[in-house]
Amino acid sequence: MIGTGKIKQYANVLDKPLGKGKQEVSLSAFAFLFSELVQYNQTQVDNISELETRLEDAGYAVGARVLELLCHRDKGNRRETRLLGILSFVHSTVWKVLFGKVADSLEKGTEHEDEYMISEKELLVNRFISIPKDMGTFHCGAFVAGIVKGVLENAGFPAVVTAHFVPVEGQQRPRTTILIKFAEKVLRREARLG
Amino acid sequence: MTTAACFIIASRNDIPIYEAEVGSAAKREDAAQLPQFILQAALDIVQDLAWTTSAMILKTIDKFNDLVVSVYVTDDRFMLLHDSRSDDGIKSFFQEVHELYIKSLLNPLYLPGSRITSSHFNTKVGALARKYL
């Protein structure tokens, strides 16, 4: 029979082994998929903030699953209980699995206690996207912000996560910053845990 | 080796998303809901305890008569009410169920936090319980 592969057919997805996750997907395939996602959502909404919300929700679903999978696969079933721990987990492990490299930088906000920023020179999802002038402040990085939000919330650190362009001197394209603002109860718990 | 045991997966907001009776002990008529009560009561303890350690399995956290509650924490809580003594068996049981749970979570059509209704999941949990408990 032509095409009989060596792959064992499993009756049910629950029987299939989880796998080592060394697969890579082609960038162009992802870019196409992502652009379709954005275009589809554009037809469904009336304004920009709704579009960003939809992208965030899509990312949230990804983030929830990525967290569970990574905890099981890479960290040998140890959870993060501290704020800095979960932030560095997002910054290195999650970024590495999703984008193939660690994020450019992780900074603590200076104005407020509960703000942190992850910066990236150019987000992978934005590489093939250009924003028309009339869309103003729209940022496709809302998808990545949603992923980070999904990871944080499902680890027990509820937060508001947004993506922003930050113009940088001497660079043509502005840097992208993901701003993470943690909820009150996270800070209180951190203080309690000392 | 099978003993009476009740296994519940509770979501982050303490809503049960999966329940199973495993084991072959006869059901007591007067206390049919007892396992659920005990596990619900243990949820408070889990919440406090979950933040003090970064390991995932919390061994025995509560006792009730001769029954013992063991908990495995990810973002959701896997809670097992049992009276068996083998710590290792329980640990392996939890890890295997965790893998099953991740696989059903990876389904993009599954809303995290909703009930798990797959009968295949049921069968597998039952088989694991017989194997490890």
Side-chain angles (χ1 to χ4, degrees), chain B residues 42-86:
Chain B
L43 279 174
D44 281 338
I45 310 183
V46 175
Q47 266 190 345
D48 289 331
L49 221 50
W51 291 103
T52 60
T53 167
S54 81
M56 273 180 162
I57 182 160
L58 313 170
K59 296 257 164 56
T60 302
I61 60 165
D62 195 18
K63 280 183 117 67
F64 179 84
N65 294 346
D66 54 345
L67 299 172
V68 149
V69 181
S70 299
V71 167
Y72 181 90
V73 180
T74 59
D75 182 48
D76 305 317
R77 288 122 195 188
F78 296 25
M79 311 180 66
L80 183 65
L81 177 71
H82 62 93
D83 55 1
S84 69
R85 290 275 156 255
S86 68

Side-chain angles (χ1 to χ4, degrees), chain A residues 37-103:
Chain A
L37 183 73
V38 175
Q39 282 175 49
Y40 172 75
N41 281 318
Q42 253 182 320
T43 62
Q44 304 267 319
V45 301
D46 300 322
N47 55 47
I48 294 184
S49 50
E50 264 192 62
L51 184 52
E52 288 208 343
T53 315
R54 281 201 169 220
L55 283 184
E56 241 188 72
D57 287 340
Y60 184 91
V62 175
R65 289 161 172 89
V66 157
L67 171 71
E68 284 286 341
L69 201 56
L70 284 185
C71 273
H72 183 263
R73 203 153 63 186
D74 287 342
K75 293 185 359 121
N77 292 329
R78 302 197 69 79
R79 294 157 43 235
E80 293 293 336
T81 41
R82 307 305 306 266
L83 198 98
L84 281 186
I86 189 77
L87 277 176
S88 59
F89 172 67
V90 167
H91 168 268
S92 33
T93 318
V94 174
W95 235 254
K96 197 144 177 136
V97 162
L98 291 179
F99 304 124
K101 61 182 196 52
V102 300

Side-chain angles (χ1 to χ4, degrees), chain A residues 149-167:
Chain A
K149 182 164 185 227
V151 172
L152 289 177
E153 264 198 44
N154 285 294
F157 297 86
V160 175
V161 186
T162 44
H164 303 277
F165 279 122
V166 172

Side-chain angles (χ1 to χ4, degrees), chain B residues 2 14 53 64 83 91 99 118:
Chain B
T2 42
D14 297 338
T53 167
F64 179 84
D83 55 1
K91 192 161 151 188
E99 267 202 45
S118 149

